[in-house]
Amino acid sequence: MDKKRILTGDRPTGRLHLGHYVGSLQNRIKLQDEYDQFVMLADVQALTDNFENPEEVRKSIKEVLLDYLAVGIDPKKTTILIQSLIPEIAELTVFYLNLVTLERVLRNPTVKDEIKQKGFGQNIPAGFAMYPVSQAADITIFNASLVPVGEDQLPMIEQTREIVRKFNSLYGQVFIEPEALLGEVKRLPGIDGNAKMGKSLGNCIYLSDSEEELKRKVMSMYTDPNRIHPTDPGKVEGNPIFVYHDVFNPDKAQVADLKKRYQEGKVGDIEVKEKLFVALNNFLTPIREKRSEFEGKDKILDRILKDGTEKARGVAGETMKKVRKAMKIDYF
Ligand code: ATP
Ligand code: MG
């Protein structure tokens, strides 16, 4: 039997961070043997809110690819593709736009949050507001049944499922309804205490941060704002420093001891942070090393992207044949 397909991806708007790792990359590494995995560098989507800054998007393509290779996404098992080089996705998006209302798209809670966060006010670029529709095309054009993502993407998967149902009921069964697969951590908070670590939020620890950058960021992390002195009892729940300890520190006994002393006012922030630095540095060192093996090897990197995109384009073309037939626009 053919392997089931995964489609997921990232916006090339900067390097990848710890949130990406626990939200999605970890599942991709785990599932790339079992599934036929496609991973998309979503440059078209990145341009919807970075159209004035195409240089950043272009530069980030290679940075994100390096991050993939660094964490162990294997191009022999995973097809890595560039969204803008598959025009069939844009074509399918145009047909999908007939199947959704403006009102429905603007009700998407993630889009709403992002509009606020980006300060668009009344001047929302139409392309940005519609990106979930384009994302539905990304997923379905490759017949993906599983989409490993962070929690902020659940409304996108729901929207995709609605579009699939509408398409199939109007034109006949062409697409399958994809399922989201959440990571070990659904939403990793930022180092500033924001509920989400995000590239556009400037609150990230990047997978490629140097030891010095990592140290600086960890030591400046937001903790319990009500705790002034190390002798004040502190709050552990929802405190990002302990969220990170829980996820990235394999020494569970140490974490339990730090939590206990923190709650009793018997440990300073500095010790908690220093121990977190050590745990994170141990986690990131092999990733940094693997990344450096590929850095500057442009020929190899380009080959990975070209081969992946070409393969993906073949699949997209096959799907579009079915779409044109179903929609009765397969004229000749
Ligand atoms: P941007 O700010 O440009 O949107 P981002 O940091 O949100 O960048 P994306 O490229 O939009 O990153 O997201 C890629 C994938 O990583 C998505 O599946 C998303 O849900 C997941 N992800 C991003 N940030 C987090 C996080 N803090 N916790 C868990 N998953 C995350
Ligand atoms: Mg995002």
Side-chain angles (χ1 to χ4, degrees), residues 10-11 13 17 19-20 149-150 152-153 188 196-197 199-200:
D10 304 280
R11 295 153 35 91
T13 52
H17 52 67
H20 293 117
V149 282
D152 62 299
Q153 293 300 308
L188 190 76
K196 180 180 177 291
M197 180 178 284
K199 284 181 249 121
S200 312

Side-chain angles (χ1 to χ4, degrees), residues 38-101:
F38 281 37
V39 171
M40 166 182 287
L41 292 158
D43 59 342
V44 176
Q45 187 182 122
L47 285 164
T48 62
D49 57 328
N50 289 276
F51 53 88
E52 287 162 321
N53 196 9
E55 207 41 59
E56 179 67 26
V57 174
R58 187 191 172 106
K59 192 174 85 207
S60 298
I61 290 273
K62 284 257 165 79
E63 296 291 344
V64 175
L65 175 60
L66 285 169
D67 288 327
Y68 289 165
L69 300 172
V71 297
I73 291 182
D74 179 352
K76 289 197 196 77
K77 301 174 184 167
T78 293
T79 304
I80 303 174
L81 59 120
I82 298 181
Q83 187 182 26
S84 65
L85 295 179
I86 311 208
E88 288 82 359
I89 297 173
E91 194 184 351
L92 185 58
T93 303
V94 170
F95 298 138
Y96 280 175
L97 283 169
N98 298 329
L99 310 183
V100 295
T101 62

Side-chain angles (χ1 to χ4, degrees), residues 24 35 47 49 75 80 99 118 135 190 201 203-204 297-298 310 319-320:
S24 177
Y35 282 79
L47 285 164
D49 57 328
I80 303 174
L99 310 183
K118 292 172 202 301
Q135 202 171 319
L201 298 164
N203 61 4
C204 306
K297 304 238 164 80
D298 281 348
E310 190 180 302
T319 304
M320 284 314 290

Side-chain angles (χ1 to χ4, degrees), residues 110-128:
T110 299
V111 172
K112 268 192 184 164
D113 279 356
E114 290 173 341
I115 286 170
K116 232 186 267 158
Q117 174 212 315
K118 292 172 202 301
F120 286 140
Q122 294 304 306
N123 303 310
I124 308 163
F128 181 79

